[in-house]
Amino acid sequence: MPYLRAVGRAFALAAFSLLSWVDVLIELVTFALLCVGLVFFFGPAVLWARGRSATMRALVARWCGIEVPAPYRPEPPEPVRERDGWYRDGNQLYKRAFWIRWQHRLTWAMEDPAAGREFAWQLVNPLCTLLLPVAVLLGGPVVLRGYGRWTRWWIGPRPPVEPTGKNWLHRHLEALGHQAGLFAVSVVQLVFAIFQLGVMAFFMPMATPVVLANRTIADTLRREAGNWTGVTIARPYLPPPGLPVARPDGLYQSGNQLYEEPFWPVQHARTRWVYRDRATWRDLAGSVLVPLVSFVLLLPTIALVSRGVVGFGALWVWRPFVSSPVEWFPLPEVSTHLGALAQTPAMLAMVVAGLAPAPWLARQQARFARLWFGPTEATRLAQRVERLKQTRSDVTVTQAAELRRIERDLHDGIQSRLVAMGMKLGAVEALVDTDPAAAKRLAAELRTASSEALTELRVLIRGIHPPVLSERGLLDAVRALALDSPLKTQVTGSLPGRVEESVEACVYFAVSELLGNAAKHGAKRVSIDVAFADDQLTLVVTDDGPGGANPARGSGLRGIERRLGGFDGRLTLTSPIGGPTKATLEIPCQIDQEPSSPKTSTSSETA
């Protein structure tokens, strides 16, 4: 009886799993709609598919005896109304919380690692469950329990995997996926580039919004190329034009035409900006060439891997199932298990030969994309000039505020103490002859006051430039911050020498602010990685907090951006709802490689 019940449950699981393909189809259609701007359907489709997965987890727990907990990150918190009655999301205000709630849930669903595993499971699971009834007939309830464990591995929670834990097969399969992903994004860009070219040729007034929308697809390719292959592709576009300035007569000029309102001059300036930017035309050329090159680089990998996998399946699945010989040119025909065993190494060798160059080929795809989608020297110079214009005023304001803070601390603290000490010295002079005992008491008080003033002065100096930076250098100073932090903080990295003092101070205070933010928002572990390459200092600070950090919501991250802006550096923040939060500090600088300053390397962890 248990045997027949297990077979019936296997048939039920197989029938129910076929519905996953319906979910996959819906998700693909809604993702296509998302690419064309219809953003309201993809999030509900993902959440709908999660309902099917929840039902499968319940069935596996009931029929297979394997509990499968939900693997998803915690749901984003509800938006909080501010005192003025508005809901704030970044720099945008909303009267109602619906849009913020929907946007946060979409981000939560898309950036959850469990979402990718769940989509792959929706594709693979129906194929496997088609063979499940046969396997249960042969193996009984034990096979059903094994299927439960397999399902838990796919759509159950997983412990975090260290980056060093990936084996050869995992890394190369991942690289194959990166190749396919870059090719897919480039094909999407090609489709939209054809539409963009038609708009630019025949509907010039609509060209600017179309070009700007299509640039987001190119930005996606740049971002994923960096995430997947490590090949950084910067945005190449010229800065947008500023707002027009009215003439003395109050009119706005565009060419030889005058307008009463700035609307049309702005539109004309933006159109000229798009058409005259060489990156616009390079994007169009790259949209044609990158898919072709990506296809050429992807084809050998796909051909060899698919040939080996299909051949292995034909030898050990198709041939015994249909009792028919298998013949693959130029290999001889196989009709026995011995012949299949003899050809199996050849199939495995094809898979290995296809996967072995996959990481290198993925990097070549990204490098070729960088030739067309990356900035030229002229664009880099224009971007640098524009960035320096933007950061110059921020640096001036920040320096003025810092000087005012130092002046206020000196005036309200040290100066008042010195004035009080001067008055007591006058009293000592008056009492030293008439009342020596009182003069001694005042002198003792003066000694204590001078010690307190010296301590306060040292604290103030430490706030201006910490002595540990001058004595030990940046890496050991960051390590000292980690030791003082209440969090479990790990510091790794190496520097070939001493960085400029001003850059050291900027990075030191930025890391201090990030550690304080992590502790304030409930993080427990922080990792800090320090590196220097290509005349650029890079620090990556990652914490396991709840995420959702936004520079627009607080002064701390904005202060870090202003600090880095003074050195032409930048802060890149990745903080999805539910965490983790990853802050990357990048500062171009020079390093002093003195013979007496050996290469500093450190790795520390505080409890």
Side-chain angles (χ1 to χ4, degrees), residues 358-390:
W360 181 83
L361 291 174
R363 288 193 295 271
Q364 301 314 307
Q365 285 180 244
R367 286 169 181 161
F368 185 79
R370 184 170 59 184
L371 291 176
W372 292 98
F373 300 137
T376 61
E377 288 300 323
T379 305
R380 287 193 182 96
L381 180 59
Q383 290 175 337
R384 187 177 180 86
V385 170
E386 184 64 23
R387 178 168 176 79
L388 290 176
K389 286 181 181 178
Q390 294 174 353

PDB file of all heavy atoms in Angstrom, residues 358-390:
ATOM      1  N   ALA A 358      35.458  29.317 -21.253  1.00  0.00           N
ATOM      2  CA  ALA A 358      34.289  30.185 -21.061  1.00  0.00           C
ATOM      3  C   ALA A 358      34.628  31.469 -20.296  1.00  0.00           C
ATOM      4  O   ALA A 358      34.201  32.557 -20.712  1.00  0.00           O
ATOM      5  CB  ALA A 358      33.174  29.410 -20.362  1.00  0.00           C
ATOM      6  N   PRO A 359      35.377  31.441 -19.170  1.00  0.00           N
ATOM      7  CA  PRO A 359      35.700  32.715 -18.495  1.00  0.00           C
ATOM      8  C   PRO A 359      36.502  33.666 -19.384  1.00  0.00           C
ATOM      9  O   PRO A 359      36.242  34.872 -19.404  1.00  0.00           O
ATOM     10  CB  PRO A 359      36.502  32.271 -17.270  1.00  0.00           C
ATOM     11  CG  PRO A 359      36.097  30.851 -17.027  1.00  0.00           C
ATOM     12  CD  PRO A 359      35.854  30.283 -18.388  1.00  0.00           C
ATOM     13  N   TRP A 360      37.472  33.124 -20.125  1.00  0.00           N
ATOM     14  CA  TRP A 360      38.275  33.979 -21.006  1.00  0.00           C
ATOM     15  C   TRP A 360      37.416  34.562 -22.121  1.00  0.00           C
ATOM     16  O   TRP A 360      37.535  35.752 -22.452  1.00  0.00           O
ATOM     17  CB  TRP A 360      39.429  33.161 -21.584  1.00  0.00           C
ATOM     18  CG  TRP A 360      40.327  33.963 -22.483  1.00  0.00           C
ATOM     19  CD1 TRP A 360      41.348  34.776 -22.099  1.00  0.00           C
ATOM     20  CD2 TRP A 360      40.270  34.019 -23.914  1.00  0.00           C
ATOM     21  NE1 TRP A 360      41.942  35.347 -23.193  1.00  0.00           N
ATOM     22  CE2 TRP A 360      41.299  34.897 -24.328  1.00  0.00           C
ATOM     23  CE3 TRP A 360      39.466  33.425 -24.868  1.00  0.00           C
ATOM     24  CZ2 TRP A 360      41.524  35.191 -25.672  1.00  0.00           C
ATOM     25  CZ3 TRP A 360      39.686  33.710 -26.203  1.00  0.00           C
ATOM     26  CH2 TRP A 360      40.717  34.580 -26.608  1.00  0.00           C
ATOM     27  N   LEU A 361      36.535  33.750 -22.702  1.00  0.00           N
ATOM     28  CA  LEU A 361      35.668  34.239 -23.776  1.00  0.00           C
ATOM     29  C   LEU A 361      34.686  35.293 -23.251  1.00  0.00           C
ATOM     30  O   LEU A 361      34.387  36.272 -23.950  1.00  0.00           O
ATOM     31  CB  LEU A 361      34.901  33.070 -24.395  1.00  0.00           C
ATOM     32  CG  LEU A 361      35.735  32.065 -25.191  1.00  0.00           C
ATOM     33  CD1 LEU A 361      34.877  30.880 -25.635  1.00  0.00           C
ATOM     34  CD2 LEU A 361      36.374  32.732 -26.409  1.00  0.00           C
ATOM     35  N   ALA A 362      34.188  35.106 -22.034  1.00  0.00           N
ATOM     36  CA  ALA A 362      33.284  36.117 -21.460  1.00  0.00           C
ATOM     37  C   ALA A 362      34.008  37.447 -21.284  1.00  0.00           C
ATOM     38  O   ALA A 362      33.441  38.517 -21.557  1.00  0.00           O
ATOM     39  CB  ALA A 362      32.734  35.622 -20.123  1.00  0.00           C
ATOM     40  N   ARG A 363      35.259  37.393 -20.843  1.00  0.00           N
ATOM     41  CA  ARG A 363      36.027  38.642 -20.714  1.00  0.00           C
ATOM     42  C   ARG A 363      36.279  39.293 -22.058  1.00  0.00           C
ATOM     43  O   ARG A 363      36.254  40.526 -22.181  1.00  0.00           O
ATOM     44  CB  ARG A 363      37.343  38.371 -19.982  1.00  0.00           C
ATOM     45  CG  ARG A 363      37.185  38.100 -18.495  1.00  0.00           C
ATOM     46  CD  ARG A 363      38.527  38.151 -17.788  1.00  0.00           C
ATOM     47  NE  ARG A 363      39.415  37.083 -18.239  1.00  0.00           N
ATOM     48  CZ  ARG A 363      39.476  35.883 -17.714  1.00  0.00           C
ATOM     49  NH1 ARG A 363      38.670  35.572 -16.699  1.00  0.00           N
ATOM     50  NH2 ARG A 363      40.312  34.973 -18.172  1.00  0.00           N
ATOM     51  N   GLN A 364      36.518  38.476 -23.084  1.00  0.00           N
ATOM     52  CA  GLN A 364      36.716  39.056 -24.416  1.00  0.00           C
ATOM     53  C   GLN A 364      35.439  39.720 -24.919  1.00  0.00           C
ATOM     54  O   GLN A 364      35.486  40.766 -25.570  1.00  0.00           O
ATOM     55  CB  GLN A 364      37.182  37.972 -25.405  1.00  0.00           C
ATOM     56  CG  GLN A 364      38.469  37.279 -25.028  1.00  0.00           C
ATOM     57  CD  GLN A 364      39.553  38.248 -24.598  1.00  0.00           C
ATOM     58  OE1 GLN A 364      39.879  39.199 -25.321  1.00  0.00           O
ATOM     59  NE2 GLN A 364      40.106  38.017 -23.413  1.00  0.00           N
ATOM     60  N   GLN A 365      34.281  39.124 -24.633  1.00  0.00           N
ATOM     61  CA  GLN A 365      33.021  39.769 -24.988  1.00  0.00           C
ATOM     62  C   GLN A 365      32.920  41.140 -24.321  1.00  0.00           C
ATOM     63  O   GLN A 365      32.547  42.128 -24.965  1.00  0.00           O
ATOM     64  CB  GLN A 365      31.834  38.900 -24.552  1.00  0.00           C
ATOM     65  CG  GLN A 365      31.583  37.691 -25.420  1.00  0.00           C
ATOM     66  CD  GLN A 365      30.393  36.890 -24.935  1.00  0.00           C
ATOM     67  OE1 GLN A 365      30.525  35.748 -24.519  1.00  0.00           O
ATOM     68  NE2 GLN A 365      29.218  37.480 -24.957  1.00  0.00           N
ATOM     69  N   ALA A 366      33.233  41.176 -23.038  1.00  0.00           N
ATOM     70  CA  ALA A 366      33.126  42.445 -22.305  1.00  0.00           C
ATOM     71  C   ALA A 366      34.150  43.456 -22.815  1.00  0.00           C
ATOM     72  O   ALA A 366      33.840  44.654 -22.921  1.00  0.00           O
ATOM     73  CB  ALA A 366      33.311  42.195 -20.814  1.00  0.00           C
ATOM     74  N   ARG A 367      35.335  43.006 -23.144  1.00  0.00           N
ATOM     75  CA  ARG A 367      36.354  43.942 -23.647  1.00  0.00           C
ATOM     76  C   ARG A 367      35.970  44.504 -25.009  1.00  0.00           C
ATOM     77  O   ARG A 367      36.221  45.681 -25.292  1.00  0.00           O
ATOM     78  CB  ARG A 367      37.709  43.239 -23.716  1.00  0.00           C
ATOM     79  CG  ARG A 367      38.341  43.024 -22.344  1.00  0.00           C
ATOM     80  CD  ARG A 367      39.535  42.114 -22.398  1.00  0.00           C
ATOM     81  NE  ARG A 367      40.097  41.908 -21.063  1.00  0.00           N
ATOM     82  CZ  ARG A 367      40.889  40.906 -20.737  1.00  0.00           C
ATOM     83  NH1 ARG A 367      41.244  40.006 -21.651  1.00  0.00           N
ATOM     84  NH2 ARG A 367      41.340  40.789 -19.503  1.00  0.00           N
ATOM     85  N   PHE A 368      35.380  43.672 -25.858  1.00  0.00           N
ATOM     86  CA  PHE A 368      34.934  44.189 -27.151  1.00  0.00           C
ATOM     87  C   PHE A 368      33.791  45.178 -26.945  1.00  0.00           C
ATOM     88  O   PHE A 368      33.711  46.204 -27.644  1.00  0.00           O
ATOM     89  CB  PHE A 368      34.483  43.035 -28.054  1.00  0.00           C
ATOM     90  CG  PHE A 368      34.119  43.487 -29.432  1.00  0.00           C
ATOM     91  CD1 PHE A 368      35.091  43.750 -30.382  1.00  0.00           C
ATOM     92  CD2 PHE A 368      32.784  43.665 -29.783  1.00  0.00           C
ATOM     93  CE1 PHE A 368      34.746  44.179 -31.653  1.00  0.00           C
ATOM     94  CE2 PHE A 368      32.434  44.089 -31.058  1.00  0.00           C
ATOM     95  CZ  PHE A 368      33.421  44.347 -31.996  1.00  0.00           C
ATOM     96  N   ALA A 369      32.904  44.877 -26.002  1.00  0.00           N
ATOM     97  CA  ALA A 369      31.831  45.836 -25.702  1.00  0.00           C
ATOM     98  C   ALA A 369      32.404  47.140 -25.172  1.00  0.00           C
ATOM     99  O   ALA A 369      31.868  48.224 -25.460  1.00  0.00           O
ATOM    100  CB  ALA A 369      30.859  45.223 -24.697  1.00  0.00           C
ATOM    101  N   ARG A 370      33.496  47.076 -24.421  1.00  0.00           N
ATOM    102  CA  ARG A 370      34.100  48.298 -23.898  1.00  0.00           C
ATOM    103  C   ARG A 370      34.655  49.178 -25.009  1.00  0.00           C
ATOM    104  O   ARG A 370      34.670  50.409 -24.890  1.00  0.00           O
ATOM    105  CB  ARG A 370      35.199  47.942 -22.902  1.00  0.00           C
ATOM    106  CG  ARG A 370      35.834  49.142 -22.226  1.00  0.00           C
ATOM    107  CD  ARG A 370      36.742  48.726 -21.087  1.00  0.00           C
ATOM    108  NE  ARG A 370      37.814  47.850 -21.527  1.00  0.00           N
ATOM    109  CZ  ARG A 370      38.702  47.287 -20.713  1.00  0.00           C
ATOM    110  NH1 ARG A 370      38.622  47.511 -19.409  1.00  0.00           N
ATOM    111  NH2 ARG A 370      39.641  46.491 -21.174  1.00  0.00           N
ATOM    112  N   LEU A 371      35.105  48.565 -26.120  1.00  0.00           N
ATOM    113  CA  LEU A 371      35.603  49.360 -27.237  1.00  0.00           C
ATOM    114  C   LEU A 371      34.528  50.286 -27.793  1.00  0.00           C
ATOM    115  O   LEU A 371      34.822  51.411 -28.222  1.00  0.00           O
ATOM    116  CB  LEU A 371      36.116  48.439 -28.351  1.00  0.00           C
ATOM    117  CG  LEU A 371      37.383  47.642 -28.073  1.00  0.00           C
ATOM    118  CD1 LEU A 371      37.696  46.724 -29.238  1.00  0.00           C
ATOM    119  CD2 LEU A 371      38.550  48.582 -27.792  1.00  0.00           C
ATOM    120  N   TRP A 372      33.267  49.824 -27.778  1.00  0.00           N
ATOM    121  CA  TRP A 372      32.193  50.604 -28.401  1.00  0.00           C
ATOM    122  C   TRP A 372      31.341  51.345 -27.385  1.00  0.00           C
ATOM    123  O   TRP A 372      30.829  52.432 -27.682  1.00  0.00           O
ATOM    124  CB  TRP A 372      31.299  49.665 -29.235  1.00  0.00           C
ATOM    125  CG  TRP A 372      32.015  49.128 -30.420  1.00  0.00           C
ATOM    126  CD1 TRP A 372      32.630  47.925 -30.531  1.00  0.00           C
ATOM    127  CD2 TRP A 372      32.250  49.807 -31.658  1.00  0.00           C
ATOM    128  NE1 TRP A 372      33.221  47.794 -31.764  1.00  0.00           N
ATOM    129  CE2 TRP A 372      32.994  48.941 -32.479  1.00  0.00           C
ATOM    130  CE3 TRP A 372      31.896  51.064 -32.152  1.00  0.00           C
ATOM    131  CZ2 TRP A 372      33.388  49.296 -33.760  1.00  0.00           C
ATOM    132  CZ3 TRP A 372      32.280  51.417 -33.432  1.00  0.00           C
ATOM    133  CH2 TRP A 372      33.023  50.540 -34.222  1.00  0.00           C
ATOM    134  N   PHE A 373      31.161  50.775 -26.216  1.00  0.00           N
ATOM    135  CA  PHE A 373      30.281  51.393 -25.222  1.00  0.00           C
ATOM    136  C   PHE A 373      31.041  52.138 -24.138  1.00  0.00           C
ATOM    137  O   PHE A 373      30.417  52.698 -23.239  1.00  0.00           O
ATOM    138  CB  PHE A 373      29.389  50.335 -24.578  1.00  0.00           C
ATOM    139  CG  PHE A 373      28.506  49.620 -25.561  1.00  0.00           C
ATOM    140  CD1 PHE A 373      28.334  48.251 -25.499  1.00  0.00           C
ATOM    141  CD2 PHE A 373      27.851  50.310 -26.554  1.00  0.00           C
ATOM    142  CE1 PHE A 373      27.533  47.585 -26.399  1.00  0.00           C
ATOM    143  CE2 PHE A 373      27.040  49.662 -27.462  1.00  0.00           C
ATOM    144  CZ  PHE A 373      26.875  48.301 -27.394  1.00  0.00           C
ATOM    145  N   GLY A 374      32.368  52.104 -24.188  1.00  0.00           N
ATOM    146  CA  GLY A 374      33.161  52.836 -23.215  1.00  0.00           C
ATOM    147  C   GLY A 374      33.476  54.234 -23.698  1.00  0.00           C
ATOM    148  O   GLY A 374      33.279  54.590 -24.865  1.00  0.00           O
ATOM    149  N   PRO A 375      33.986  55.100 -22.818  1.00  0.00           N
ATOM    150  CA  PRO A 375      34.271  56.483 -23.199  1.00  0.00           C
ATOM    151  C   PRO A 375      35.568  56.613 -23.975  1.00  0.00           C
ATOM    152  O   PRO A 375      36.512  55.837 -23.784  1.00  0.00           O
ATOM    153  CB  PRO A 375      34.368  57.201 -21.845  1.00  0.00           C
ATOM    154  CG  PRO A 375      34.805  56.128 -20.894  1.00  0.00           C
ATOM    155  CD  PRO A 375      34.205  54.845 -21.390  1.00  0.00           C
ATOM    156  N   THR A 376      35.624  57.599 -24.848  1.00  0.00           N
ATOM    157  CA  THR A 376      36.859  57.977 -25.515  1.00  0.00           C
ATOM    158  C   THR A 376      37.612  58.967 -24.633  1.00  0.00           C
ATOM    159  O   THR A 376      37.115  59.416 -23.599  1.00  0.00           O
ATOM    160  CB  THR A 376      36.556  58.595 -26.881  1.00  0.00           C
ATOM    161  OG1 THR A 376      35.749  59.775 -26.678  1.00  0.00           O
ATOM    162  CG2 THR A 376      35.784  57.620 -27.765  1.00  0.00           C
ATOM    163  N   GLU A 377      38.827  59.326 -25.049  1.00  0.00           N
ATOM    164  CA  GLU A 377      39.615  60.274 -24.263  1.00  0.00           C
ATOM    165  C   GLU A 377      38.924  61.630 -24.183  1.00  0.00           C
ATOM    166  O   GLU A 377      38.940  62.300 -23.146  1.00  0.00           O
ATOM    167  CB  GLU A 377      41.011  60.414 -24.873  1.00  0.00           C
ATOM    168  CG  GLU A 377      41.907  59.200 -24.671  1.00  0.00           C
ATOM    169  CD  GLU A 377      42.124  58.894 -23.199  1.00  0.00           C
ATOM    170  OE1 GLU A 377      42.228  59.855 -22.406  1.00  0.00           O
ATOM    171  OE2 GLU A 377      42.188  57.703 -22.833  1.00  0.00           O
ATOM    172  N   ALA A 378      38.318  62.076 -25.291  1.00  0.00           N
ATOM    173  CA  ALA A 378      37.615  63.364 -25.283  1.00  0.00           C
ATOM    174  C   ALA A 378      36.438  63.335 -24.316  1.00  0.00           C
ATOM    175  O   ALA A 378      36.187  64.292 -23.581  1.00  0.00           O
ATOM    176  CB  ALA A 378      37.142  63.703 -26.701  1.00  0.00           C
ATOM    177  N   THR A 379      35.718  62.211 -24.300  1.00  0.00           N
ATOM    178  CA  THR A 379      34.578  62.100 -23.386  1.00  0.00           C
ATOM    179  C   THR A 379      35.046  62.063 -21.940  1.00  0.00           C
ATOM    180  O   THR A 379      34.434  62.679 -21.058  1.00  0.00           O
ATOM    181  CB  THR A 379      33.776  60.841 -23.717  1.00  0.00           C
ATOM    182  OG1 THR A 379      33.407  60.862 -25.096  1.00  0.00           O
ATOM    183  CG2 THR A 379      32.517  60.773 -22.874  1.00  0.00           C
ATOM    184  N   ARG A 380      36.124  61.346 -21.660  1.00  0.00           N
ATOM    185  CA  ARG A 380      36.651  61.310 -20.297  1.00  0.00           C
ATOM    186  C   ARG A 380      37.037  62.701 -19.820  1.00  0.00           C
ATOM    187  O   ARG A 380      36.766  63.081 -18.663  1.00  0.00           O
ATOM    188  CB  ARG A 380      37.875  60.385 -20.230  1.00  0.00           C
ATOM    189  CG  ARG A 380      37.569  58.900 -20.307  1.00  0.00           C
ATOM    190  CD  ARG A 380      38.787  58.088 -19.916  1.00  0.00           C
ATOM    191  NE  ARG A 380      38.540  56.668 -20.032  1.00  0.00           N
ATOM    192  CZ  ARG A 380      38.860  55.937 -21.096  1.00  0.00           C
ATOM    193  NH1 ARG A 380      39.469  56.523 -22.141  1.00  0.00           N
ATOM    194  NH2 ARG A 380      38.620  54.653 -21.149  1.00  0.00           N
ATOM    195  N   LEU A 381      37.676  63.476 -20.710  1.00  0.00           N
ATOM    196  CA  LEU A 381      38.083  64.828 -20.338  1.00  0.00           C
ATOM    197  C   LEU A 381      36.858  65.698 -20.061  1.00  0.00           C
ATOM    198  O   LEU A 381      36.823  66.441 -19.061  1.00  0.00           O
ATOM    199  CB  LEU A 381      38.929  65.443 -21.446  1.00  0.00           C
ATOM    200  CG  LEU A 381      39.437  66.868 -21.191  1.00  0.00           C
ATOM    201  CD1 LEU A 381      40.296  66.910 -19.929  1.00  0.00           C
ATOM    202  CD2 LEU A 381      40.210  67.382 -22.394  1.00  0.00           C
ATOM    203  N   ALA A 382      35.829  65.604 -20.913  1.00  0.00           N
ATOM    204  CA  ALA A 382      34.614  66.399 -20.693  1.00  0.00           C
ATOM    205  C   ALA A 382      33.917  65.990 -19.400  1.00  0.00           C
ATOM    206  O   ALA A 382      33.430  66.851 -18.642  1.00  0.00           O
ATOM    207  CB  ALA A 382      33.671  66.234 -21.890  1.00  0.00           C
ATOM    208  N   GLN A 383      33.849  64.689 -19.126  1.00  0.00           N
ATOM    209  CA  GLN A 383      33.221  64.236 -17.885  1.00  0.00           C
ATOM    210  C   GLN A 383      34.007  64.695 -16.663  1.00  0.00           C
ATOM    211  O   GLN A 383      33.419  65.082 -15.643  1.00  0.00           O
ATOM    212  CB  GLN A 383      33.116  62.707 -17.890  1.00  0.00           C
ATOM    213  CG  GLN A 383      32.109  62.151 -18.892  1.00  0.00           C
ATOM    214  CD  GLN A 383      32.131  60.638 -18.929  1.00  0.00           C
ATOM    215  OE1 GLN A 383      33.118  60.017 -18.560  1.00  0.00           O
ATOM    216  NE2 GLN A 383      31.049  60.049 -19.394  1.00  0.00           N
ATOM    217  N   ARG A 384      35.323  64.669 -16.772  1.00  0.00           N
ATOM    218  CA  ARG A 384      36.148  65.082 -15.635  1.00  0.00           C
ATOM    219  C   ARG A 384      35.964  66.571 -15.346  1.00  0.00           C
ATOM    220  O   ARG A 384      35.846  66.981 -14.180  1.00  0.00           O
ATOM    221  CB  ARG A 384      37.618  64.770 -15.927  1.00  0.00           C
ATOM    222  CG  ARG A 384      38.539  65.012 -14.744  1.00  0.00           C
ATOM    223  CD  ARG A 384      39.961  64.600 -15.098  1.00  0.00           C
ATOM    224  NE  ARG A 384      40.865  64.824 -13.984  1.00  0.00           N
ATOM    225  CZ  ARG A 384      41.080  63.979 -12.999  1.00  0.00           C
ATOM    226  NH1 ARG A 384      40.433  62.830 -12.996  1.00  0.00           N
ATOM    227  NH2 ARG A 384      41.929  64.251 -12.032  1.00  0.00           N
ATOM    228  N   VAL A 385      35.935  67.372 -16.407  1.00  0.00           N
ATOM    229  CA  VAL A 385      35.737  68.812 -16.224  1.00  0.00           C
ATOM    230  C   VAL A 385      34.378  69.081 -15.591  1.00  0.00           C
ATOM    231  O   VAL A 385      34.254  69.898 -14.664  1.00  0.00           O
ATOM    232  CB  VAL A 385      35.871  69.538 -17.579  1.00  0.00           C
ATOM    233  CG1 VAL A 385      35.427  70.983 -17.458  1.00  0.00           C
ATOM    234  CG2 VAL A 385      37.304  69.474 -18.076  1.00  0.00           C
ATOM    235  N   GLU A 386      33.335  68.402 -16.071  1.00  0.00           N
ATOM    236  CA  GLU A 386      32.001  68.619 -15.521  1.00  0.00           C
ATOM    237  C   GLU A 386      31.929  68.168 -14.064  1.00  0.00           C
ATOM    238  O   GLU A 386      31.307  68.839 -13.228  1.00  0.00           O
ATOM    239  CB  GLU A 386      30.975  67.851 -16.359  1.00  0.00           C
ATOM    240  CG  GLU A 386      29.531  68.072 -15.941  1.00  0.00           C
ATOM    241  CD  GLU A 386      29.085  69.503 -16.130  1.00  0.00           C
ATOM    242  OE1 GLU A 386      29.692  70.212 -16.961  1.00  0.00           O
ATOM    243  OE2 GLU A 386      28.133  69.924 -15.438  1.00  0.00           O
ATOM    244  N   ARG A 387      32.566  67.058 -13.749  1.00  0.00           N
ATOM    245  CA  ARG A 387      32.545  66.583 -12.370  1.00  0.00           C
ATOM    246  C   ARG A 387      33.291  67.536 -11.448  1.00  0.00           C
ATOM    247  O   ARG A 387      32.862  67.793 -10.314  1.00  0.00           O
ATOM    248  CB  ARG A 387      33.147  65.184 -12.297  1.00  0.00           C
ATOM    249  CG  ARG A 387      33.207  64.622 -10.879  1.00  0.00           C
ATOM    250  CD  ARG A 387      33.522  63.158 -10.862  1.00  0.00           C
ATOM    251  NE  ARG A 387      33.659  62.658  -9.511  1.00  0.00           N
ATOM    252  CZ  ARG A 387      32.637  62.358  -8.718  1.00  0.00           C
ATOM    253  NH1 ARG A 387      31.417  62.515  -9.144  1.00  0.00           N
ATOM    254  NH2 ARG A 387      32.852  61.902  -7.496  1.00  0.00           N
ATOM    255  N   LEU A 388      34.411  68.072 -11.927  1.00  0.00           N
ATOM    256  CA  LEU A 388      35.151  69.032 -11.119  1.00  0.00           C
ATOM    257  C   LEU A 388      34.338  70.301 -10.888  1.00  0.00           C
ATOM    258  O   LEU A 388      34.402  70.906  -9.812  1.00  0.00           O
ATOM    259  CB  LEU A 388      36.488  69.365 -11.790  1.00  0.00           C
ATOM    260  CG  LEU A 388      37.528  68.237 -11.790  1.00  0.00           C
ATOM    261  CD1 LEU A 388      38.759  68.648 -12.574  1.00  0.00           C
ATOM    262  CD2 LEU A 388      37.902  67.846 -10.369  1.00  0.00           C
ATOM    263  N   LYS A 389      33.552  70.708 -11.888  1.00  0.00           N
ATOM    264  CA  LYS A 389      32.671  71.861 -11.701  1.00  0.00           C
ATOM    265  C   LYS A 389      31.646  71.592 -10.607  1.00  0.00           C
ATOM    266  O   LYS A 389      31.353  72.458  -9.775  1.00  0.00           O
ATOM    267  CB  LYS A 389      31.943  72.187 -13.010  1.00  0.00           C
ATOM    268  CG  LYS A 389      32.805  72.843 -14.073  1.00  0.00           C
ATOM    269  CD  LYS A 389      31.969  73.131 -15.312  1.00  0.00           C
ATOM    270  CE  LYS A 389      32.798  73.771 -16.411  1.00  0.00           C
ATOM    271  NZ  LYS A 389      31.976  74.003 -17.626  1.00  0.00           N
ATOM    272  N   GLN A 390      31.092  70.384 -10.611  1.00  0.00           N
ATOM    273  CA  GLN A 390      30.062  70.060  -9.634  1.00  0.00           C
ATOM    274  C   GLN A 390      30.625  69.931  -8.221  1.00  0.00           C
ATOM    275  O   GLN A 390      29.984  70.314  -7.247  1.00  0.00           O
ATOM    276  CB  GLN A 390      29.354  68.756 -10.030  1.00  0.00           C
ATOM    277  CG  GLN A 390      28.563  68.850 -11.323  1.00  0.00           C
ATOM    278  CD  GLN A 390      28.006  67.508 -11.750  1.00  0.00           C
ATOM    279  OE1 GLN A 390      28.306  66.485 -11.157  1.00  0.00           O
ATOM    280  NE2 GLN A 390      27.209  67.507 -12.807  1.00  0.00           N
TER     281      GLN A 390
END
